[in-house]
Structures are given as C-alpha cells and as structure tokens.
Amino acid sequence: MKCERTAYSCGIVIVFGSDVSAEEFADDLAIAAAEANATLASIFFCQEKFEAEALARAISDRAPDLRYAGCSTAGEITPAGYSEGQIVAMLFPADRFSASATLIEDLSTCSMDDVVTQISDMRREMENGKQESDRSSIFSVLLIDGLSLAEEAFTSALYWSLDNIPLIGGSAGDNLRFHNTKLIMNGQVKSDSAIVIFVHSKVPFRVFKTDNFVPTTQKLVVTASDPDSRTVMELNAEPAAKAYAEAIGIDPGSLGPMSFASHPVVVRIGGDFYCRSIQKLNPDGSLSFFCAIDNGIVLTIAQPKGMVESTSEKLREVDEELGGIDVLLGFDCVLRKLDAQNRQSFTALSALYKDHHVAGFCTYGEQFRSMHLNQTLTGIAFGAAPADLAE
C-alpha cells in the first residue's frame, strides 16, 4: 500500500496519505475496506492536493461497493497528529456499524420544513425494529458547506428532527481561502449542501465538545450588521475593525487569522458563553464572521487559556467514561490550530491528539446537538469492542 493504515480494536481502520494520486488512494482504500469488511467510509481531504471530482470518480471505480461521505478541509488530523495536504479515511466495519446517509442540496434556498420531514423519516427508518435500549446506540454526523451561511438554521432544524439522538459535525473548509468548499458522497460532488449520516453502533461511544476561552470584561455591541452575509459593519457605533482592534490592543491594519484566533469574541446564551469567531477583515473595515451576527448582540472579548490542558482534561474525562478511548473522530476549528501555533502549543496539542487516536479535520465551524459553534473541538470517541464482538 502507498497509504498508511492504522487499525483499532473496535474494528475501525484509518487510511491516510499525502504523496499519492486519487487513484492510488482509492486502490488502497478498496483493499483496506475489503480486509476490514467495511461498507462505509468518512473521507476528509485537502483540495489543493486532491481534486474532489477526480477523487469521487476514483473511489467509485476502485471501490464501487463502498459507501462514503466526506468533505474538503482547512487541515487534516491523522493518527500522527495535525497535518496538511493529506487525505484521511475512517472505515467502519459492517458487523459493528450500520449506517444510512442523505445529501441535502441547495442549502441557501431549501425549505427547513422539508429538511425536518426528510430527516425525521430517515430517523424512523433507522430506528425501525430496534428496541428502545438500542436507540442509545444511534448517533448522527453532519458535514456541511462551511461557506453556505446556513449552518445555524440547518443545524437547529436537523436537531429538531433527531428526537434527542446526539449530533456532532463539522463545516467543510478550503484552507482559509474562503472561495469554495466541496462535499463528496457516493460519486457526487457538491457545494451549498450538507450530508447527514445516521450510525447504529455496537461499539460504545461518547459525543463531546470542549473549548478553552474565558470571557473578559470588554464588551462590543453590534450596531450595524448584515446578518444574511454574517458581516458586521459597526461595533459600538464605530467601524467594526477599528473598534475590535482597539479592544484587543493592536493596529487595525494588523488584523488577520492569527489575531482573530487569539482574541475570540463570545456571546452569552442562557448561562453559557459560545464563541462567534471572526472569519476575515474586509477592505471596507467591516468584519465577516463564521457564525450569524445581528444588531444589538453584545459580544464579549474572550481570552483563550490552556488549550492543551483543557483539551487533555476533557479527553481524560471521556476516556474514563468509556473505559479507554480506542479511536476518536474529531472536528476541530481551524482557529484552534492557528491559536495553538501562535501560542507555541501546536506541537503539544498535536501530540495529545496522536496519543488519543484522533482522526478528522480542521473546520470552518463545529456542530454539537442543536448548536453551530466556533473555536471548539467536537467529536465522537469510540471504546473497545464488547467481548462478544472481539475476535
């Protein structure tokens, strides 16, 4: 095989590589899927190295019986830790996981009522014939265009239709170019779309989220915005970039991904704070966000603290609940990676992911239950297979 392969005791297999063609990856994926008796794969890829249409064709040609769903990224996470320029596939063996998936197109114009109906029908089909106790063995995964501007509405509608089945997910990226992201599913390549996957697992699992920001006392009120484009023109009745830069103590001309990652803003919803990360500075001095923003919202400047420590603590907690993490599918905000680089903790965070067998990708947003989030790690951790499934 030209790709690397890592197998775990729960039956999941990770296939990953960088210096391979789409055809070589598909060949190795087909071999690994046959040996693992896998009928489902989640695939995350760097668009600059792997063209989505060529990848979809190659997989359909080389592994015609393999169902797959995936997306482009803003960086990949392999069994070796953070990486770039990679393609990563997580294979699920058929004797331990059963799954169904659907592709929902035209997010910018589709009816959320229709989404609720479609996903509700899909959920009922997955639940059909299962005992109530089996329902706790079902989880859902969302992959969604990270430039669709539809994550909040779609995630909320989706979760409404799930009837409390846990949901985790990530928004597709394009390496901070903010031009076009791609989703792939069973030979199809789409943008402005989402993929919803239901999985029934015989392997124990836990869904979780973790972040590392602490609110300060500095407040910024949104006084002029365009919610449809997630653009803020004014904060505290001043040009948005100027007000934000003054609040964090830097020159407006120096604003960029690193400063946005190191100085996030949060909103309070109920008793909790949720990050509303800034995507980019626009030429007119406005700021584009990764989440929806509206007039009157009070933004609080937050200070990230101890990303490695907070992430380690959460992973230890999940590890104890499962009796050991065997492998973990993770959706990690690209701004967490940038902030880790800025604070010289990138190597330590990457090593932590390697130690806990994390595979996944860096996102333009994360989903957890009913919420679309930023600057967060969401994931699903799998434990070892039960004794009656172990070989």
Side-chain angles (χ1 to χ4, degrees):
M1 293 183 70
K2 294 182 179 295
C3 293
E4 296 185 63
R5 187 198 315 186
T6 305
Y8 299 92
S9 65
C10 67
I12 289 174
V13 176
I14 307 296
V15 178
F16 61 103
S18 58
D19 297 322
V20 294
S21 66
E23 292 75 18
E24 289 170 334
F25 170 78
D27 284 337
D28 287 354
L29 185 67
I31 293 169
E35 293 180 358
N37 187 29
T39 59
L40 172 69
S42 295
I43 300 171
F44 313 116
F45 62 95
C46 170
Q47 282 194 103
E48 294 172 0
K49 292 287 292 290
F50 299 91
E51 196 264 333
E53 287 77 9
L55 184 60
R57 287 194 301 270
I59 298 173
S60 296
D61 288 344
R62 266 68 170 186
D65 297 327
L66 181 67
R67 293 175 298 151
Y68 63 90
C71 64
S72 59
T73 76
E76 300 76 49
I77 308 171
T78 77
Y82 274 131
S83 189
E84 292 183 359
Q86 295 269 347
I87 185 167
V88 185
M90 179 175 282
L91 289 163
F92 295 87
D95 61 336
R96 301 178 185 188
F97 301 90
S98 59
S100 60
T102 189
L103 174 69
I104 298 175
E105 301 182 54
D106 303 319
L107 294 183
S108 56
T109 58
C110 73
S111 163
M112 290 300 121
D113 288 340
D114 290 344
V115 169
V116 170
T117 299
Q118 181 176 346
I119 300 302
S120 296
D121 291 344
M122 186 179 168
R123 171 182 56 78
R124 283 190 286 269
E125 184 176 346
M126 169 63 76
E127 294 174 332
N128 186 36
K130 293 182 171 60
Q131 301 294 324
E132 183 63 28
S133 58
D134 288 337
R135 198 173 187 279
S136 62
S137 298
I138 300 174
F139 63 88
S140 56
V141 176
L142 171 64
L143 303 176
I144 187 167
D145 185 338
L147 300 177
S148 66
L149 308 181
E151 292 104 317
E152 289 90 356
F154 188 88
T155 303
S156 178
L158 173 59
Y159 192 68
W160 177 261
S161 67
L162 294 178
D163 193 21
N164 291 321
I165 287 175
L167 168 70
I168 54 133
S171 301
D174 65 347
N175 285 336
L176 297 177
R177 290 179 297 164
F178 306 119
H179 175 65
N180 183 254
T181 74
K182 298 286 188 179
L183 289 93
I184 59 173
M185 179 176 162
N186 301 336
Q188 301 180 80
V189 178
K190 299 291 180 179
S191 298
D192 191 31
S193 299
I195 299 170
V196 181
I197 308 167
F198 281 96
V199 181
H200 178 261
S201 173
K202 295 181 180 178
V203 174
F205 64 84
R206 295 290 186 278
V207 299
F208 71 94
K209 73 174 181 71
T210 183
D211 53 53
N212 68 303
F213 45 77
V214 178
T216 69
T217 59
Q218 292 177 286
K219 309 290 184 183
L220 296 168
V221 180
V222 178
T223 49
S225 69
D226 178 7
D228 290 340
S229 65
R230 296 178 176 174
T231 303
V232 173
M233 285 77 77
E234 290 185 2
L235 293 167
N236 293 350
E238 293 187 300
K242 177 178 181 293
Y244 171 76
E246 289 177 351
I248 65 173
I250 68 173
D251 182 84
S254 300
L255 292 176
M258 285 294 187
S259 51
F260 301 146
S262 298
H263 304 279
V265 293
V266 298
V267 296
R268 188 164 188 167
I269 302 175
D272 295 321
F273 284 93
Y274 296 93
C275 195
R276 292 293 180 260
S277 295
I278 300 170
Q279 182 192 92
K280 61 182 178 178
L281 168 67
N282 300 312
D284 63 358
S286 64
L287 297 172
S288 293
F289 281 70
F290 280 109
C291 278
I293 297 291
D294 208 343
N295 289 347
I297 288 178
V298 178
L299 302 175
T300 300
I301 302 292
Q303 179 66 42
K305 291 186 178 180
M307 187 186 302
V308 175
E309 292 77 9
S310 62
T311 305
S312 179
E313 181 179 350
K314 173 56 72 171
L315 293 179
R316 280 197 303 270
E317 176 185 315
V318 174
D319 188 83
E320 289 175 1
E321 291 177 358
L322 278 174
I325 295 174
D326 196 37
V327 62
L328 193 159
L329 172 59
F331 305 101
D332 194 26
C333 183
V334 65
L335 294 182
R336 279 172 54 91
K337 181 178 74 170
L338 293 178
D339 192 39
Q341 291 171 334
N342 196 38
R343 297 177 188 276
Q344 287 78 53
S345 58
F346 176 82
T347 300
L349 188 61
S350 182
L352 181 66
Y353 289 167
K354 178 181 178 181
D355 290 345
H356 287 82
H357 308 154
V358 179
F361 72 100
C362 296
T363 75
Y364 281 176
E366 307 76 55
Q367 292 78 46
F368 183 79
R369 300 194 185 276
S370 65
M371 297 292 294
H372 172 61
L373 307 169
N374 291 138
Q375 224 144 330
T376 302
L377 169 68
T378 66
I380 178 163
F382 298 95
D388 60 344
L389 290 178
E391 295 181 353

